[in-house]
Amino acid sequence: RGLDVCTSGFVLELAAEGDAEALERSQAFRTRNPTWEPACGVRRGRQLAAFELRARAPGSPENAADDEVLWRKVVDLTDLDPLYCEELSDLPAPPPLGVPLVQLGKEWFAYPTPATASAAPAPQADKSRQRAGPVKKISTTEICSAGDHITAMIARLADLKARSEALRTAMDEPLQVGGATSARRAQCLGRRQRLEELRRQVGERD
């Protein structure tokens, strides 16, 4: 933004720091606020963490001498701060003139300035603290009372279990007696049937 160069036009070049050969070169610009995106993307030097961005006169060769450079700026990607926006119009305050703005993906980055610091979102409070509700205090008396209640419940459960066992025993005894009575009746019935059979056989002999 705000390049202070001649109004007759200029081209932008992307080069390795200190290298006269341009890796990418733009079309001619006649504005102080050029926006340049290589048509085919950055094809060479994508591994560079720092590069030189410079402006030259439109007719100058790519390997022209340094004295023909109208403006230059070394950009180190590791030193840039995010602007937290996808559109520059969303910035609360634009960076100073002459500060290169770099777009990586959809995010914009620039060198740290008061304007970029104001673009940073406000720090959010710890979510765990936000979710934490009021702390309930429990007295020793309440703990003892709860313990007594639990003890009473355990004693009642033991009593119910003992009653259940006693009831089961009381039900088993009549069943056992009834089974013995049925067995004796069956034996008596069998004896009667054999006795009647013997009497019948004796009567047939007579």
Side-chain angles (χ1 to χ4, degrees):
R1 296 177 60 254
L3 287 183
D4 189 12
V5 295
C6 61
T7 58
S8 59
F10 59 91
V11 294
L12 292 175
E13 290 183 349
L14 185 67
E17 186 177 359
D19 194 349
E21 181 182 2
L23 300 174
E24 299 289 343
R25 197 175 200 191
S26 74
Q27 76 280 9
F29 290 102
R30 295 181 180 275
T31 174
R32 298 185 63 185
N33 302 315
T35 300
W36 174 38
E37 179 181 358
C40 299
V42 179
R43 294 167 294 181
R44 295 186 299 162
R46 301 181 64 176
Q47 78 285 357
L48 298 176
F51 57 89
E52 182 178 271
L53 183 64
R54 59 196 179 209
R56 293 183 184 271
S60 60
E62 294 188 12
N63 295 329
D66 287 347
D67 56 2
E68 297 186 18
V69 175
L70 305 175
W71 172 89
R72 62 159 33 107
K73 179 71 174 181
V74 176
V75 179
D76 191 335
L77 298 178
T78 60
D79 293 337
L80 301 182
D81 279 353
L83 299 180
Y84 303 100
C85 69
E86 296 183 9
E87 299 293 337
L88 295 178
S89 57
D90 296 335
L91 288 176
L97 298 178
V99 175
L101 303 177
V102 180
Q103 187 179 33
L104 300 176
K106 294 183 178 181
E107 294 290 334
W108 285 92
F109 295 79
Y111 276 103
T113 64
T116 59
S118 64
Q124 297 181 354
D126 189 355
K127 293 183 178 180
S128 61
R129 295 182 180 178
Q130 292 179 349
R131 295 176 183 174
V135 178
K136 181 179 180 181
K137 295 182 179 180
I138 302 176
S139 63
T140 306
T141 305
E142 290 178 336
I143 296 176
C144 294
S145 177
D148 294 340
H149 181 65
I150 293 174
T151 302
M153 291 179 64
I154 294 175
R156 183 180 179 186
L157 179 62
D159 181 61
L160 291 175
K161 185 176 181 181
R163 291 185 181 183
S164 176
E165 291 292 338
L167 180 61
R168 182 180 300 173
T169 303
M171 292 176 64
D172 288 343
E173 290 179 355
L175 291 176
Q176 292 175 358
V177 173
T181 302
S182 299
R184 286 194 297 269
R185 288 178 180 176
Q187 291 177 357
C188 292
L189 180 61
R191 292 190 188 115
R192 289 178 183 178
Q193 289 177 349
R194 286 196 298 270
L195 181 59
E196 292 177 357
E197 180 66 20
L198 289 173
R199 288 176 178 175
R200 186 181 61 79
Q201 293 176 0
V202 171
E204 289 178 353
R205 290 177 185 176
D206 293 341

